[in-house]
Amino acid sequence: MAYDLTKISMNALMRPAFDAGIALTRLDERIARSRVGQGWFERSHFADACASLWIDGELVHLEDLVLHDATRDIRTPTHELTIARDVLRTRRRITGQSPDWALSADGIRSLRKTSEIGSGGGDEATTAGVIRAAVAIDAEGEGDDGDDVNNLPGVDYAAIDAVLARSNAAIEQAKTPGRAPAKDPLVYDLDWDEDERLEEWRSVLRQVQDLPAVLQAIVALDAWNELSVLQHAPWLGRLLAASLLRQADITAGAHLAAVNLGLKTIPIDRRRHRDRETRLLAIAQGLLAAAEIGMKEHDRLTLAKTMMDRKLEGRRTSSKLPELVELVVAKPLVSAKMVAETLEMTPQAARRIVLELGLREMTGRGRFRAWGVI
């Protein structure tokens, strides 16, 4: 299970790692000084969370994640969507702490707990799905296509009670002093010693601490994948690799590197190649791709913001359009409910102001519509 660093040839990695470091630093400086920097930063969380699930072989639509994050689901949340939400919240949590928090003992311990809850969280997803099934249509008439209020399925209150009972039992069991209960053998491999694997991974970090930061992140990510530290949260290693770059001040100014988004552009046969050097080069190219994608997204968002600002000329000072512009810049898409709550207006007024700004309808639905700038 040991990860041997002596067989790594650093010569081939130096140039790609150097280029990736320069590109990420330039992107960070651009975002820190940009008028759309905060919106770009928030959008990158959503895009990277979806890309994380894609790398692990699952598909989560961006619009579903945005609506789920805003508790405006249009269907029962899937297990994959719940994991994507955990990736999203973990990214926000990391960026909300000091740069060295995520890789500290307390930080890793806290992030591990989050990943365990999310990976096993069937009860949470079931609870949310059962409860939201009762809210398939709202007072303003936004509901599923073709559904009528009288034809909606009834709420299974027995299922809700069962979920709550299991949750309460788990809470009481956690409060009981003594040894922690054994994990379910149907969900976890009992021979999989995560603590030992995590310590081995941290020893790899100690061995590469004198290398340049980008090389540290590349080796750390490959070691995490090879050691398979956590059974159900491979995505956490990619966020910790991004935290390494943030801790080294490469991306500490304005953003957390979207490692998943960059790795998504690399073919899977290179990311999981048997040859270690091929995998390391693939990670380096993924970091460079993440910086290039981020720069293009920033330019696209800046152009969209400029075009929308032109529509604000001559408006009254009491107009809500400027606030709507800021909202759509910060979110990949917005629904009428999201606009209404943020701008403190009725959903009908929200739909009118959205049409006035000329946003593009993203869902293709007659109800539960959502809009975006592109």
Side-chain angles (χ1 to χ4, degrees):
M1 190 170 64
Y3 188 84
D4 189 3
L5 291 170
T6 60
K7 298 181 180 180
I8 299 178
S9 175
M10 294 298 176
N11 294 331
L13 286 172
M14 291 300 294
R15 184 64 188 184
F18 183 73
D19 292 340
I22 292 178
L24 288 170
T25 303
R26 285 177 175 172
L27 173 62
D28 195 65
E29 290 295 321
R30 178 75 64 86
I31 298 304
R33 291 164 172 76
S34 174
R35 61 194 182 114
V36 297
Q38 190 59 39
W40 181 95
F41 186 38
E42 183 66 19
R43 283 168 167 262
S44 70
H45 289 327
F46 289 101
D48 195 61
C50 290
S52 179
L53 269 291
W54 190 93
I55 290 175
D56 292 333
E58 304 292 347
L59 179 62
V60 172
H61 293 286
L62 181 64
E63 56 268 25
D64 288 339
L65 180 58
V66 174
L67 295 176
H68 183 54
D69 181 61
T71 64
R72 291 287 174 264
D73 299 275
I74 59 177
R75 59 180 67 88
T76 302
T78 63
H79 181 61
E80 293 74 24
L81 183 58
T82 303
I83 297 176
R85 191 272 315 273
D86 290 332
V87 177
L88 175 68
R89 291 185 173 180
T90 302
R91 280 184 60 90
R92 289 171 174 167
R93 188 176 184 186
I94 291 174
T95 55
Q97 301 286 344
S98 61
D100 60 345
W101 175 81
L103 293 166
S104 66
D106 290 339
I108 291 179
R109 186 184 308 111
S110 178
L111 295 176
R112 280 184 66 187
K113 291 180 180 178
T114 302
S115 65
E116 288 174 1
I117 293 173
S119 60
D123 286 348
E124 183 184 1
T126 303
T127 304
V130 173
I131 294 175
R132 289 190 182 97
V135 197
I137 194 166
D138 59 21
E140 286 72 34
E142 289 195 357
D144 244 344
D145 295 338
D147 282 341
D148 186 79
V149 180
N150 297 325
N151 296 328
L152 291 174
V155 180
D156 190 352
Y157 292 102
I160 296 177
D161 292 338
V163 170
L164 293 177
R166 288 196 297 270
S167 300
N168 291 332
I171 292 172
E172 293 300 324
Q173 191 175 32
K175 292 180 179 179
T176 303
R179 187 175 180 179
K183 294 181 178 179
D184 189 346
L186 293 178
V187 179
Y188 291 91
D189 181 357
L190 300 183
D191 295 328
W192 195 300
D193 192 339
E194 292 187 348
D195 293 331
E196 180 183 349
R197 292 169 187 257
L198 180 59
E199 184 56 36
E200 175 64 26
W201 181 75
R202 298 188 72 175
S203 71
V204 172
L205 291 187
R206 290 190 289 269
Q207 295 178 58
V208 299
Q209 62 183 356
D210 294 329
L211 295 177
V214 178
L215 278 178
Q216 290 184 41
I218 292 172
V219 174
L221 178 54
D222 185 63
W224 181 280
N225 294 335
E226 287 301 295
L227 296 173
S228 300
V229 179
L230 301 183
Q231 292 188 59
H232 299 294
W235 52 267
L236 184 57
R238 298 188 286 271
L239 295 187
L240 293 177
S243 298
L244 266 172
L245 299 174
R246 183 168 179 256
Q247 182 177 349
D249 289 335
I250 291 180
T251 62
H255 80 294
L256 182 69
V259 175
N260 298 295
L261 203 57
L263 290 177
K264 184 179 176 181
T265 65
I266 308 299
I268 188 173
D269 57 343
R270 294 188 55 206
R271 288 188 280 109
R272 299 184 179 179
H273 201 277
R274 290 185 176 181
D275 180 57
R276 184 185 304 182
E277 184 173 319
T278 302
R279 295 196 309 268
L280 295 174
L281 287 172
I283 295 174
Q285 292 171 2
L287 294 178
L288 180 60
E292 294 174 348
I293 293 172
M295 195 70 75
K296 292 178 181 177
E297 175 66 13
H298 171 267
D299 294 341
R300 183 184 70 87
L301 199 58
T302 301
L303 178 60
K305 178 73 161 54
T306 302
M307 297 298 293
M308 288 188 292
D309 284 344
R310 292 180 180 178
K311 298 183 179 181
L312 303 181
E313 297 177 359
R315 298 283 178 176
R316 297 190 306 270
T317 56
S318 60
S319 174
K320 294 285 189 177
L321 275 180
E323 297 179 45
L324 178 59
V325 170
E326 295 300 326
L327 178 62
V328 298
V329 166
K331 299 288 185 181
L333 73 162
V334 295
S335 66
K337 274 289 189 180
M338 293 167 63
V339 174
E341 289 185 358
T342 304
L343 304 187
E344 297 180 350
M345 57 176 57
T346 64
Q348 291 86 348
R351 284 189 284 270
R352 286 197 300 269
I353 196 173
V354 163
L355 295 177
E356 190 175 354
L357 190 58
L359 299 178
R360 176 186 173 187
E361 208 286 317
M362 305 288 284
T363 62
R365 288 173 168 264
R367 299 177 179 179
F368 281 120
R369 290 176 293 175
W371 298 267
V373 293
I374 296 296

